[in-house]
Amino acid sequence: MTIPTETNAIRFHQTGGPEVLKWETVKLAAPNAGEVTLRNKACGLNFIDTYHRSGLYPVQLPSGIGLEGAGIVEALGPGVTSLKVGDRVAYCAAPLGSYAEWRNYPADKLVKIPDSIDFNTAAAMMLQGMTVEYLIRRTYTVKPGDIVLFHAAAGGVGSIAVQWLKALGATVIGTAGGKEKCAIAKSLGADHVIDYRAEAGSDHWVKRVKELTDGKGVHVVYDGVGKDTCIPSMDCLRPRGYLVTFGNASGPVPAIEPLLLSQKGSLFLTRPTLMAYTATRADLELSANALIDVVSKGTVKINIGHTYALKDAAQAQRDLEARKTTGSVVLLP
Ligand code: NDP
């Protein structure tokens, strides 16, 4: 395969709405030491991409965008011995720039993908699936019999989490917005699904969680929704329960006083990131291998709800932010 000297990529020069994302032609240099040149076959869309674009998570501009992709190694930079040309690989970490047809990328952050997993699935599963891995196995270790509340259960992270939690033997209470999304969460295996948008405010879904747990509350809440759900979620927990706040889909969570954790029942609070749980090569492999294992066995099915042409990434982000998507979303170069 002849490697081009230029490639098309989505880039942005200022923060703002989806309209700041531009389809541009950029130079493709030879890979530096420790890097490979990748031909991306599919790119993953994640909520974090919208935080980079909006400026909630600041990045130096101008910049590429996107953390996740799957493709083929087409050239090796000096010193790369762990991979060969033709390897099928996937990734979900910085540097930003996965929304591109071709790119250079550090070899030590790539994971080889078995032939049984196609590129679209690989691009859809890495970031959201490894997030689920660390959340339910390492942040709070879910045990058989635990009762878990997982918000946005029909979304990308949520769809994978519901299936994996069931495989661990948990009772899963999912929340989702609207009938269609509730039906999806139920079909994935959730024991109970609450439409948290059916009524305004949080009283109704907090009350329902209490009813479903005989007034005791759940062992752990996983909350990627953020501002709208995080504080009320404390009232869904049993004493000494775990509140895992891991995202800001509705906006960042306001400050929480430690005394509130005491008043709500000696709760544990953590705000983890995938980056911290996959910072070493050993942790990256542990997480990726566990994910590849559950997907290869069919324990977890990756639900690709939508695909878009890569050049239409702005529309894909618009739809994600407008709560129009379900499952994972893949962008195709
Ligand atoms: P999703 O596919 O779950 O999309 C977000 C969902 O959040 C929406 O579909 C919607 O579901 C729900 N939501 C609730 N309120 C809002 C709102 N005001 N605006 C938009 N969406 C809302 O996205 P991802 O799977 O990519 O990510 C889920 C969350 O996990 C995000 O917050 C993300 O940042 C976080 N995350 C954190 C990681 C970490 O390591 N800390 C790693 C990966 C993801 P509904 O309509 O059902 O309410």
Side-chain angles (χ1 to χ4, degrees):
M1 161 85 42
T2 311
I3 298 171
T5 54
E6 289 184 337
T7 183
N8 291 317
I10 297 280
R11 292 178 59 78
F12 64 124
H13 297 252
Q14 63 194 79
T15 55
E19 69 283 354
V20 301
L21 299 178
K22 305 290 180 206
W23 183 237
E24 296 181 350
T25 302
V26 291
K27 293 231 171 320
L28 180 70
N32 286 321
E35 287 183 344
V36 302
T37 299
L38 281 181
R39 182 160 49 106
N40 274 332
K41 301 285 284 181
C43 315
L45 177 77
N46 291 285
F47 223 94
I48 192 170
D49 307 342
T50 70
Y51 309 148
H52 291 137
R53 188 212 70 221
S54 72
L56 179 65
Y57 294 176
V59 299
Q60 204 178 349
L61 297 177
S63 175
I65 188 161
L67 288 169
E68 183 175 37
I72 301 172
V73 175
E74 297 289 1
L76 305 178
V80 175
T81 54
S82 56
L83 293 164
K84 58 182 191 319
V85 169
D87 277 347
R88 303 171 74 252
V89 292
Y91 59 95
C92 62
L96 295 190
S98 71
Y99 290 17
E101 291 173 340
W102 291 74
R103 72 174 304 190
N104 293 330
Y105 191 78
D108 63 359
K109 294 185 182 177
L110 287 167
V111 173
K112 284 191 205 170
I113 293 298
D115 290 344
S116 60
I117 296 180
D118 61 46
F119 288 117
N120 285 13
T121 303
M125 76 181 202
M126 290 296 286
L127 197 148
Q128 294 166 348
M130 285 167 54
T131 297
V132 172
E133 183 285 320
Y134 87 74
L135 288 174
I136 69 174
R137 297 184 351 140
R138 292 189 283 149
T139 303
Y140 170 86
T141 305
V142 174
K143 300 173 291 304
D146 279 352
I147 309 177
V148 177
L149 175 61
F150 209 106
H151 288 302
V157 173
S159 294
I160 296 170
V162 168
Q163 299 173 71
W164 205 333
L165 284 165
K166 285 312 296 172
L168 292 179
T171 296
V172 179
I173 303 174
T175 60
K179 278 199 183 118
E180 189 204 339
K181 288 189 178 186
C182 287
I184 289 172
K186 191 86 179 123
S187 73
L188 293 168
D191 298 275
H192 311 279
V193 185
I194 304 170
D195 182 350
Y196 57 4
R197 280 205 276 166
E199 294 172 33
S202 57
D203 288 357
H204 68 108
W205 57 262
V206 171
K207 191 164 155 249
R208 184 76 188 120
V209 172
K210 278 295 179 67
E211 282 166 9
L212 289 169
T213 56
D214 297 326
K216 293 192 182 110
V218 300
H219 295 83
V220 55
V221 178
Y222 291 105
D223 180 24
V225 171
K227 183 163 76 76
D228 291 351
T229 49
C230 188
I231 306 276
S233 289
M234 288 185 188
D235 293 322
C236 298
L237 283 162
R238 61 184 58 198
R240 293 186 282 156
Y242 283 73
L243 178 54
V244 182
T245 162
F246 67 94
N248 330 283
S250 65
V253 177
I256 294 172
E257 294 283 347
L259 258 187
L260 189 61
L261 301 173
S262 141
Q263 289 157 3
K264 299 285 181 186
S266 298
L267 303 179
F268 293 86
L269 172 71
T270 181
R271 198 341 181 156
T273 65
L274 175 62
M275 210 190 336
Y277 278 83
T278 52
T280 64
R281 183 70 202 177
D283 278 341
L284 172 64
E285 286 184 7
L286 176 148
S287 194
N289 289 342
L291 173 66
I292 288 169
D293 185 55
V294 290
V295 172
S296 301
K297 286 181 178 148
T299 310
V300 170
K301 294 193 175 54
I302 302 301
N303 168 23
I304 299 174
H306 316 261
T307 57
Y308 295 81
L310 177 57
K311 64 177 173 40
D312 298 330
Q315 188 57 43
Q317 288 202 358
R318 213 169 271 125
D319 291 347
L320 181 66
E321 289 178 294
R323 305 168 86 156
K324 287 186 181 162
T325 65
T326 58
S328 304
V329 180
V330 169
L331 308 172
L332 298 174

